[in-house]
């Protein structure tokens, strides 16, 4: 959400990315390179997020909202996107994320024109617990296929 890597956060606090934090320990969060959410696009629909409404293709958004309600009912967990560009993103936004990745300052990202986020068919979720829930119930809603090996946070909509 802040556009910084775990390694950058650890380094800014004199820690290794492998170090543990102790409850109550204070850390500094450096200014990141946050990219704002995409403007509204025709053919897209909104899903709720802590950063305001984010967009997905209309059928994917409808399925996400239904899956989110089921996750809340079954597990008491609200499925949330990880940040303001964790659902649909423009090619320009994808290019920014890819450039950060290549510079070693961001999470893995695909080159512009090759990401399912640019089609409104992917969400990066906030926690491994959310991903685990999607792995359990997502298929019935058309969610869960992963086109990003090694990215636990990435889930795709493939239809229902």
């Amino acid at each position: 959400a802040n556009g910084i890597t775990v390694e950058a956060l650890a380094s800014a606090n004199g820690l290794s990315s492998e170090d543990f934090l102790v409850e109550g320990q204070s850390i500094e969060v450096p200014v990141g390179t946050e990219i704002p959410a995409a403007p509204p696009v025709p053919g897209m629909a909104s899903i709720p997020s802590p950063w305001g409404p984010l967009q997905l293709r209309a059928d994917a958004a409808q399925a996400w909202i239904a899956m989110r309600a089921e996750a809340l009912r079954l597990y008491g967990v609200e499925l949330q996107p990880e940040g303001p560009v964790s659902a649909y993103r423009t090619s320009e936004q994808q290019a920014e994320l890819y450039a950060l990745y290549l510079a070693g300052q961001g999470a893995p990202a695909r080159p512009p024109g090759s990401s399912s986020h640019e089609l409104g068919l992917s969400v990066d979720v906030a926690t491994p617990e959310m991903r685990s829930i999607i792995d359990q119930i997502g298929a019935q809603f058309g969610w869960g296929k992963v086109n990003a090996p090694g990215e636990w946070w990435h889930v795709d909509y493939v239809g229902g």
Side-chain angles (χ1 to χ4, degrees):
N2 291 329
I4 60 172
T5 65
V6 171
E7 290 75 18
L9 179 62
S11 177
N13 288 279
L15 302 168
S16 157
S17 62
E18 303 299 317
D19 287 341
F20 291 96
L21 295 176
V22 177
E23 186 176 340
Q25 180 179 355
S26 295
I27 61 170
E28 295 292 321
V29 179
V31 175
T33 53
E34 187 174 318
I35 301 168
V41 174
M44 298 283 180
S46 295
I47 62 170
S49 86
W51 303 271
L54 299 183
Q55 298 176 80
L56 290 172
R57 197 173 76 185
D59 56 338
Q62 183 178 5
W64 177 267
I65 290 167
M67 179 177 64
R68 187 172 184 261
E70 185 70 353
L72 189 57
R73 185 182 75 78
L74 292 175
Y75 303 97
V77 173
E78 286 189 64
L79 301 178
Q80 298 286 353
E82 184 268 334
V85 290
S86 294
Y88 167 73
R89 57 181 76 131
T90 66
S91 292
E92 292 78 18
Q93 290 170 318
Q94 187 66 32
E96 288 181 58
L97 293 170
Y98 186 60
L100 287 170
Y101 166 63
L102 291 177
Q105 299 174 350
R110 296 183 65 114
S114 65
S115 172
S116 50
H117 285 284
E118 294 169 275
L119 302 173
L121 296 174
S122 297
V123 173
D124 293 337
V125 295
T127 67
E129 178 188 27
M130 291 176 193
R131 174 54 194 269
S132 176
I133 291 168
I134 293 169
D135 288 345
Q136 294 173 58
I137 68 169
Q140 66 186 311
F141 299 96
W143 280 94
K145 181 175 180 272
V146 179
N147 284 329
E151 295 182 18
W152 64 261
W153 54 86
H154 182 95
V155 294
D156 288 319
Y157 179 71
V158 293

